[in-house]
Amino acid sequence: MLPGIGVFGTGNLIKIAVPFLREKGFKIEAIWGRTLIAAEEVARDLEIPFFTNKIDDVLLRKDVDLIFIICSPNLHAQIAVKALGIGKHVLCDKPAGLCQNEALKMVRAAQYYPSLISIVNHSLRFLPAFSQMRKAIVDGFLGNEGEITICDVRVQMGSLLHDNYDWLCDDTMGGGVLTLVGSHVIDLVSHLLLQKAVRVHGVVRTFTKTTEHVNGIRHISSPDFCTFQMEMKGGTLVTATLNNHVPGLFNQEVLICGKGGHLIVRGGDLYGMKTGTTKEDVIYLDVEDLQKFKSINPIVANSIPRPYMKGLFKMIGALKEAFLPVEDKRGWVKEPVALAATFEDGLYVQAVIDALRKSSINKEWVKVNIIAEEPDPNPLLSAAVRRSGISI
């Protein structure tokens, strides 16, 4: 049985996700917006029966059993932890919070309620080209384990900013290409290579600090360019360049080289070439047309790159397969969503992002450190208490 859905957010991704969900048979019961006006406008456009600007008004509804969190990252952890505690399944957009501390709270909530779905929207995992790439790697197309040498990722696209100043302009609120695109890249690379980063080196820059519409007291602090390297545990070296300075264009290439040859995904197509040959072979061509979703505004559709849209559509299809065979609307089958990124994966991605930020500031290689305990908010006080032998 498919659960009723409550969505958090009023941005373009919501306007794409809702038609996808309905096409798969899900019913959208409620929507939350930062302001009541924003929530009402999107609810009217998408024909959602209930709207609010109060988080609990959605979470406490009895007809809502699956929560889609696609709002500003500063609210991700708060909503996800509360939703799991109430007994709701959760799909959370990237990133998993603003820092490792928030991501760790999400991990612990998911561990405490293992019977509930808790996944992060790293939709590229479900894109068929990357599914085929991962299968080819596992099957030894590039060589044996330990023979994969290089992974090179390049993403070129236009600005992520809106006309008005909002959280996308603010680095501390989760805006910027490193958080919004880099998180996908970091997760995807680890998923494909079956390896995690050990050390990283990065350069993160904000070149566009004002625009025609954002030019007052507040300036843009979210990065619009970054390039970084990651040394993976299995020995693979990863390089990535993310560029927001190419308006009107989206170009994404993921190249993985090994002793046995190379694999490359361009957009949504997969090509491969074995060592000793002179021509690339077509392994997978993406021919699926999203034009069948007539209810999606073309302007909205053009704001989200096609690979991410198609990955989201495939992930929603996997969610349907996970819920449909079970009569209880809160029950689900794990296998269809086994590829999805977990909150633990979200914590790892956040650890890499933290290390990249530190590397960019200090101009040095930084070890990736995944926290297991929440940091002490007042270490000086705690040390004084320990020395005095007083317990609080």
Side-chain angles (χ1 to χ4, degrees), residues 209-231:
K209 298 184 179 181
T210 61
T211 67
E212 180 183 353
H213 302 283
V214 182
N215 54 14
I217 298 174
R218 294 182 294 187
H219 285 190
I220 298 164
S221 61
S222 55
D224 49 32
F225 176 86
C226 69
T227 181
F228 59 87
Q229 296 81 43
M230 301 191 295
E231 286 186 356

PDB file of all heavy atoms in Angstrom, residues 209-231:
ATOM      1  N   LYS A 209      29.830  37.886  -6.298  1.00  0.00           N
ATOM      2  CA  LYS A 209      29.386  38.315  -4.974  1.00  0.00           C
ATOM      3  C   LYS A 209      28.192  39.266  -5.023  1.00  0.00           C
ATOM      4  O   LYS A 209      27.541  39.506  -3.999  1.00  0.00           O
ATOM      5  CB  LYS A 209      30.551  38.961  -4.229  1.00  0.00           C
ATOM      6  CG  LYS A 209      31.695  37.974  -4.007  1.00  0.00           C
ATOM      7  CD  LYS A 209      32.830  38.565  -3.194  1.00  0.00           C
ATOM      8  CE  LYS A 209      33.927  37.517  -2.991  1.00  0.00           C
ATOM      9  NZ  LYS A 209      35.059  38.028  -2.191  1.00  0.00           N
ATOM     10  N   THR A 210      27.904  39.807  -6.202  1.00  0.00           N
ATOM     11  CA  THR A 210      26.706  40.612  -6.413  1.00  0.00           C
ATOM     12  C   THR A 210      26.155  40.296  -7.794  1.00  0.00           C
ATOM     13  O   THR A 210      26.882  39.864  -8.691  1.00  0.00           O
ATOM     14  CB  THR A 210      26.990  42.121  -6.316  1.00  0.00           C
ATOM     15  OG1 THR A 210      27.936  42.484  -7.330  1.00  0.00           O
ATOM     16  CG2 THR A 210      27.519  42.503  -4.938  1.00  0.00           C
ATOM     17  N   THR A 211      24.853  40.512  -7.950  1.00  0.00           N
ATOM     18  CA  THR A 211      24.216  40.373  -9.255  1.00  0.00           C
ATOM     19  C   THR A 211      23.352  41.601  -9.489  1.00  0.00           C
ATOM     20  O   THR A 211      23.266  42.498  -8.639  1.00  0.00           O
ATOM     21  CB  THR A 211      23.332  39.114  -9.320  1.00  0.00           C
ATOM     22  OG1 THR A 211      22.219  39.278  -8.432  1.00  0.00           O
ATOM     23  CG2 THR A 211      24.107  37.864  -8.932  1.00  0.00           C
ATOM     24  N   GLU A 212      22.683  41.626 -10.616  1.00  0.00           N
ATOM     25  CA  GLU A 212      21.792  42.744 -10.923  1.00  0.00           C
ATOM     26  C   GLU A 212      20.704  42.890  -9.866  1.00  0.00           C
ATOM     27  O   GLU A 212      20.282  43.998  -9.532  1.00  0.00           O
ATOM     28  CB  GLU A 212      21.163  42.523 -12.303  1.00  0.00           C
ATOM     29  CG  GLU A 212      20.202  43.637 -12.731  1.00  0.00           C
ATOM     30  CD  GLU A 212      19.547  43.341 -14.059  1.00  0.00           C
ATOM     31  OE1 GLU A 212      19.937  42.333 -14.714  1.00  0.00           O
ATOM     32  OE2 GLU A 212      18.636  44.106 -14.448  1.00  0.00           O
ATOM     33  N   HIS A 213      20.265  41.756  -9.303  1.00  0.00           N
ATOM     34  CA  HIS A 213      19.164  41.781  -8.341  1.00  0.00           C
ATOM     35  C   HIS A 213      19.648  41.681  -6.900  1.00  0.00           C
ATOM     36  O   HIS A 213      18.923  42.072  -5.985  1.00  0.00           O
ATOM     37  CB  HIS A 213      18.195  40.629  -8.633  1.00  0.00           C
ATOM     38  CG  HIS A 213      17.631  40.657 -10.016  1.00  0.00           C
ATOM     39  ND1 HIS A 213      16.632  41.520 -10.400  1.00  0.00           N
ATOM     40  CD2 HIS A 213      17.944  39.922 -11.127  1.00  0.00           C
ATOM     41  CE1 HIS A 213      16.337  41.317 -11.673  1.00  0.00           C
ATOM     42  NE2 HIS A 213      17.115  40.354 -12.144  1.00  0.00           N
ATOM     43  N   VAL A 214      20.823  41.124  -6.672  1.00  0.00           N
ATOM     44  CA  VAL A 214      21.371  40.990  -5.314  1.00  0.00           C
ATOM     45  C   VAL A 214      22.602  41.888  -5.238  1.00  0.00           C
ATOM     46  O   VAL A 214      23.715  41.484  -5.564  1.00  0.00           O
ATOM     47  CB  VAL A 214      21.739  39.530  -5.007  1.00  0.00           C
ATOM     48  CG1 VAL A 214      22.260  39.405  -3.579  1.00  0.00           C
ATOM     49  CG2 VAL A 214      20.547  38.612  -5.223  1.00  0.00           C
ATOM     50  N   ASN A 215      22.411  43.122  -4.810  1.00  0.00           N
ATOM     51  CA  ASN A 215      23.535  44.076  -4.808  1.00  0.00           C
ATOM     52  C   ASN A 215      23.428  45.100  -3.675  1.00  0.00           C
ATOM     53  O   ASN A 215      23.993  46.184  -3.754  1.00  0.00           O
ATOM     54  CB  ASN A 215      23.618  44.801  -6.151  1.00  0.00           C
ATOM     55  CG  ASN A 215      22.289  45.472  -6.523  1.00  0.00           C
ATOM     56  OD1 ASN A 215      21.408  45.611  -5.677  1.00  0.00           O
ATOM     57  ND2 ASN A 215      22.167  45.866  -7.788  1.00  0.00           N
ATOM     58  N   GLY A 216      22.706  44.746  -2.635  1.00  0.00           N
ATOM     59  CA  GLY A 216      22.537  45.676  -1.525  1.00  0.00           C
ATOM     60  C   GLY A 216      23.555  45.437  -0.429  1.00  0.00           C
ATOM     61  O   GLY A 216      24.735  45.169  -0.682  1.00  0.00           O
ATOM     62  N   ILE A 217      23.091  45.527   0.810  1.00  0.00           N
ATOM     63  CA  ILE A 217      23.967  45.343   1.966  1.00  0.00           C
ATOM     64  C   ILE A 217      24.501  43.922   2.029  1.00  0.00           C
ATOM     65  O   ILE A 217      25.674  43.683   2.323  1.00  0.00           O
ATOM     66  CB  ILE A 217      23.206  45.695   3.265  1.00  0.00           C
ATOM     67  CG1 ILE A 217      22.783  47.159   3.259  1.00  0.00           C
ATOM     68  CG2 ILE A 217      24.069  45.395   4.486  1.00  0.00           C
ATOM     69  CD1 ILE A 217      21.907  47.554   4.413  1.00  0.00           C
ATOM     70  N   ARG A 218      23.619  42.956   1.751  1.00  0.00           N
ATOM     71  CA  ARG A 218      24.026  41.549   1.825  1.00  0.00           C
ATOM     72  C   ARG A 218      24.642  41.104   0.503  1.00  0.00           C
ATOM     73  O   ARG A 218      24.046  41.293  -0.560  1.00  0.00           O
ATOM     74  CB  ARG A 218      22.826  40.676   2.177  1.00  0.00           C
ATOM     75  CG  ARG A 218      22.286  40.932   3.570  1.00  0.00           C
ATOM     76  CD  ARG A 218      21.134  40.023   3.902  1.00  0.00           C
ATOM     77  NE  ARG A 218      19.958  40.278   3.084  1.00  0.00           N
ATOM     78  CZ  ARG A 218      18.776  39.697   3.279  1.00  0.00           C
ATOM     79  NH1 ARG A 218      18.634  38.822   4.265  1.00  0.00           N
ATOM     80  NH2 ARG A 218      17.746  39.985   2.503  1.00  0.00           N
ATOM     81  N   HIS A 219      25.825  40.511   0.587  1.00  0.00           N
ATOM     82  CA  HIS A 219      26.503  39.989  -0.587  1.00  0.00           C
ATOM     83  C   HIS A 219      26.418  38.471  -0.623  1.00  0.00           C
ATOM     84  O   HIS A 219      26.158  37.824   0.385  1.00  0.00           O
ATOM     85  CB  HIS A 219      27.971  40.434  -0.597  1.00  0.00           C
ATOM     86  CG  HIS A 219      28.140  41.872  -0.967  1.00  0.00           C
ATOM     87  ND1 HIS A 219      29.372  42.438  -1.235  1.00  0.00           N
ATOM     88  CD2 HIS A 219      27.246  42.870  -1.136  1.00  0.00           C
ATOM     89  CE1 HIS A 219      29.224  43.715  -1.524  1.00  0.00           C
ATOM     90  NE2 HIS A 219      27.935  43.998  -1.474  1.00  0.00           N
ATOM     91  N   ILE A 220      26.651  37.922  -1.784  1.00  0.00           N
ATOM     92  CA  ILE A 220      26.612  36.472  -1.975  1.00  0.00           C
ATOM     93  C   ILE A 220      27.882  35.852  -1.397  1.00  0.00           C
ATOM     94  O   ILE A 220      28.994  36.283  -1.714  1.00  0.00           O
ATOM     95  CB  ILE A 220      26.484  36.134  -3.467  1.00  0.00           C
ATOM     96  CG1 ILE A 220      25.176  36.701  -4.023  1.00  0.00           C
ATOM     97  CG2 ILE A 220      26.559  34.626  -3.704  1.00  0.00           C
ATOM     98  CD1 ILE A 220      25.122  36.757  -5.532  1.00  0.00           C
ATOM     99  N   SER A 221      27.712  34.833  -0.562  1.00  0.00           N
ATOM    100  CA  SER A 221      28.868  34.135   0.025  1.00  0.00           C
ATOM    101  C   SER A 221      28.943  32.683  -0.430  1.00  0.00           C
ATOM    102  O   SER A 221      29.950  32.006  -0.187  1.00  0.00           O
ATOM    103  CB  SER A 221      28.798  34.181   1.556  1.00  0.00           C
ATOM    104  OG  SER A 221      27.620  33.536   2.031  1.00  0.00           O
ATOM    105  N   SER A 222      27.909  32.181  -1.084  1.00  0.00           N
ATOM    106  CA  SER A 222      27.913  30.776  -1.516  1.00  0.00           C
ATOM    107  C   SER A 222      28.872  30.596  -2.696  1.00  0.00           C
ATOM    108  O   SER A 222      28.869  31.395  -3.632  1.00  0.00           O
ATOM    109  CB  SER A 222      26.507  30.333  -1.900  1.00  0.00           C
ATOM    110  OG  SER A 222      25.960  31.196  -2.883  1.00  0.00           O
ATOM    111  N   PRO A 223      29.701  29.550  -2.676  1.00  0.00           N
ATOM    112  CA  PRO A 223      30.693  29.353  -3.740  1.00  0.00           C
ATOM    113  C   PRO A 223      30.057  28.996  -5.072  1.00  0.00           C
ATOM    114  O   PRO A 223      29.064  28.267  -5.129  1.00  0.00           O
ATOM    115  CB  PRO A 223      31.565  28.204  -3.208  1.00  0.00           C
ATOM    116  CG  PRO A 223      30.717  27.505  -2.199  1.00  0.00           C
ATOM    117  CD  PRO A 223      29.823  28.539  -1.611  1.00  0.00           C
ATOM    118  N   ASP A 224      30.622  29.524  -6.154  1.00  0.00           N
ATOM    119  CA  ASP A 224      30.147  29.212  -7.494  1.00  0.00           C
ATOM    120  C   ASP A 224      31.194  28.456  -8.316  1.00  0.00           C
ATOM    121  O   ASP A 224      30.995  28.204  -9.499  1.00  0.00           O
ATOM    122  CB  ASP A 224      29.717  30.479  -8.234  1.00  0.00           C
ATOM    123  CG  ASP A 224      30.755  31.593  -8.159  1.00  0.00           C
ATOM    124  OD1 ASP A 224      31.958  31.271  -8.103  1.00  0.00           O
ATOM    125  OD2 ASP A 224      30.372  32.778  -8.142  1.00  0.00           O
ATOM    126  N   PHE A 225      32.302  28.105  -7.678  1.00  0.00           N
ATOM    127  CA  PHE A 225      33.337  27.306  -8.347  1.00  0.00           C
ATOM    128  C   PHE A 225      34.098  26.516  -7.300  1.00  0.00           C
ATOM    129  O   PHE A 225      34.404  27.021  -6.219  1.00  0.00           O
ATOM    130  CB  PHE A 225      34.323  28.195  -9.109  1.00  0.00           C
ATOM    131  CG  PHE A 225      35.472  27.433  -9.740  1.00  0.00           C
ATOM    132  CD1 PHE A 225      35.321  26.862 -10.992  1.00  0.00           C
ATOM    133  CD2 PHE A 225      36.662  27.249  -9.059  1.00  0.00           C
ATOM    134  CE1 PHE A 225      36.373  26.144 -11.571  1.00  0.00           C
ATOM    135  CE2 PHE A 225      37.709  26.533  -9.614  1.00  0.00           C
ATOM    136  CZ  PHE A 225      37.562  25.973 -10.889  1.00  0.00           C
ATOM    137  N   CYS A 226      34.394  25.279  -7.607  1.00  0.00           N
ATOM    138  CA  CYS A 226      35.314  24.522  -6.751  1.00  0.00           C
ATOM    139  C   CYS A 226      35.976  23.418  -7.567  1.00  0.00           C
ATOM    140  O   CYS A 226      35.408  22.902  -8.537  1.00  0.00           O
ATOM    141  CB  CYS A 226      34.612  23.951  -5.519  1.00  0.00           C
ATOM    142  SG  CYS A 226      33.444  22.643  -5.846  1.00  0.00           S
ATOM    143  N   THR A 227      37.176  23.126  -7.194  1.00  0.00           N
ATOM    144  CA  THR A 227      37.907  22.005  -7.774  1.00  0.00           C
ATOM    145  C   THR A 227      38.575  21.272  -6.632  1.00  0.00           C
ATOM    146  O   THR A 227      39.083  21.891  -5.695  1.00  0.00           O
ATOM    147  CB  THR A 227      38.941  22.485  -8.818  1.00  0.00           C
ATOM    148  OG1 THR A 227      39.615  21.340  -9.369  1.00  0.00           O
ATOM    149  CG2 THR A 227      39.966  23.428  -8.222  1.00  0.00           C
ATOM    150  N   PHE A 228      38.522  19.957  -6.677  1.00  0.00           N
ATOM    151  CA  PHE A 228      39.091  19.209  -5.549  1.00  0.00           C
ATOM    152  C   PHE A 228      39.606  17.847  -5.994  1.00  0.00           C
ATOM    153  O   PHE A 228      39.252  17.333  -7.055  1.00  0.00           O
ATOM    154  CB  PHE A 228      38.072  19.060  -4.409  1.00  0.00           C
ATOM    155  CG  PHE A 228      36.782  18.366  -4.766  1.00  0.00           C
ATOM    156  CD1 PHE A 228      36.662  16.985  -4.711  1.00  0.00           C
ATOM    157  CD2 PHE A 228      35.660  19.111  -5.129  1.00  0.00           C
ATOM    158  CE1 PHE A 228      35.468  16.351  -5.009  1.00  0.00           C
ATOM    159  CE2 PHE A 228      34.454  18.490  -5.433  1.00  0.00           C
ATOM    160  CZ  PHE A 228      34.365  17.103  -5.369  1.00  0.00           C
ATOM    161  N   GLN A 229      40.478  17.321  -5.161  1.00  0.00           N
ATOM    162  CA  GLN A 229      41.037  15.978  -5.352  1.00  0.00           C
ATOM    163  C   GLN A 229      40.727  15.145  -4.103  1.00  0.00           C
ATOM    164  O   GLN A 229      40.709  15.665  -2.986  1.00  0.00           O
ATOM    165  CB  GLN A 229      42.556  16.023  -5.548  1.00  0.00           C
ATOM    166  CG  GLN A 229      43.013  16.764  -6.800  1.00  0.00           C
ATOM    167  CD  GLN A 229      43.035  18.252  -6.615  1.00  0.00           C
ATOM    168  OE1 GLN A 229      43.484  18.760  -5.586  1.00  0.00           O
ATOM    169  NE2 GLN A 229      42.538  18.982  -7.597  1.00  0.00           N
ATOM    170  N   MET A 230      40.492  13.854  -4.325  1.00  0.00           N
ATOM    171  CA  MET A 230      40.254  12.930  -3.219  1.00  0.00           C
ATOM    172  C   MET A 230      41.106  11.680  -3.413  1.00  0.00           C
ATOM    173  O   MET A 230      41.093  11.087  -4.491  1.00  0.00           O
ATOM    174  CB  MET A 230      38.777  12.524  -3.143  1.00  0.00           C
ATOM    175  CG  MET A 230      37.805  13.670  -2.955  1.00  0.00           C
ATOM    176  SD  MET A 230      36.108  13.117  -2.564  1.00  0.00           S
ATOM    177  CE  MET A 230      35.650  12.259  -4.069  1.00  0.00           C
ATOM    178  N   GLU A 231      41.842  11.322  -2.379  1.00  0.00           N
ATOM    179  CA  GLU A 231      42.539  10.035  -2.366  1.00  0.00           C
ATOM    180  C   GLU A 231      41.610   9.016  -1.726  1.00  0.00           C
ATOM    181  O   GLU A 231      41.223   9.156  -0.571  1.00  0.00           O
ATOM    182  CB  GLU A 231      43.842  10.133  -1.568  1.00  0.00           C
ATOM    183  CG  GLU A 231      44.945  10.877  -2.270  1.00  0.00           C
ATOM    184  CD  GLU A 231      46.258  10.827  -1.498  1.00  0.00           C
ATOM    185  OE1 GLU A 231      46.267  10.260  -0.376  1.00  0.00           O
ATOM    186  OE2 GLU A 231      47.264  11.346  -1.990  1.00  0.00           O
TER     187      GLU A 231
END
